[in-house]
Amino acid sequence: MDPKGQYLIGFCWLQVIGFEEMVDAFNSVEYCQRSGVLDLSQSLRQKIGNSKLIYIHDLGIVPEYRKQVSLVDLIHPAVKSVACRSGVTKLLFWSSPKTCIHHLAEIAEIPMIVANDDMQFFCGDICNEDLSVG
């Protein structure tokens, strides 16, 4: 919400899903289709297996607030809520190289597990105490 609590200025869409549901989610995004994500699916399965994970589908901040809202402040409360309610502690998301999300993954020390020229997949376990990556 904006400082006055009147307008939504950002969102973070998360979901607890398994591997097959994750592939379906990737297939629903045109960018993923063009970027060859299906070519990476076997490598992803080897890295994450069939266990449930918290997948960050999408997030966004209204342009005029982007320098005022940190990605950590946007993502952390949502991840904490979903992890506490579901008991799932593995977080997965993808990014294009050299984006804010890529940079956030580096700062949070979330390892890149699979990549091609256009997409990088990050996956890390969330610590239960403070829900930082461990």
Side-chain angles (χ1 to χ4, degrees):
M1 299 298 289
D2 71 322
K4 294 180 182 178
Q6 296 176 340
Y7 304 103
L8 181 66
I9 60 171
F11 72 94
C12 182
W13 177 25
L14 308 171
Q15 186 177 11
V16 175
I17 59 176
F19 182 80
E20 298 302 327
E21 296 154 313
M22 182 184 64
V23 171
D24 289 343
F26 296 152
N27 286 331
S28 71
V29 178
E30 187 177 323
Y31 180 83
C32 293
Q33 294 169 3
R34 290 192 319 264
S35 298
V37 72
L38 291 180
D39 298 338
L40 299 173
S41 62
Q42 282 307 98
S43 297
L44 280 168
R45 185 185 290 278
Q46 290 173 347
K47 296 286 185 178
I48 63 174
N50 291 318
S51 61
K52 294 282 186 183
L53 47 86
I54 299 171
Y55 173 60
I56 301 178
H57 278 279
D58 199 3
L59 54 89
I61 302 171
V62 173
E64 53 267 23
Y65 287 93
R66 289 187 181 157
K67 294 188 188 252
Q68 298 173 40
V69 178
S70 79
L71 288 174
V72 171
D73 291 341
L74 179 67
I75 295 169
H76 187 267
V79 170
K80 182 177 180 178
S81 175
V82 170
C84 289
R85 286 185 289 131
S86 68
V88 174
T89 60
K90 187 171 286 207
L91 178 68
L92 176 93
F93 57 93
W94 66 270
S95 175
S96 299
K98 309 290 184 211
T99 63
C100 294
I101 299 299
H102 172 94
H103 183 64
L104 179 65
E106 289 177 334
I107 291 170
E109 299 180 356
I110 301 172
M112 184 187 324
I113 59 168
V114 176
N116 66 15
D117 291 341
D118 298 318
M119 298 180 75
Q120 300 169 329
F121 291 84
F122 299 89
C123 188
D125 287 318
I126 302 166
C127 297
N128 286 334
E129 296 81 39
D130 62 357
L131 286 169
S132 60
V133 175

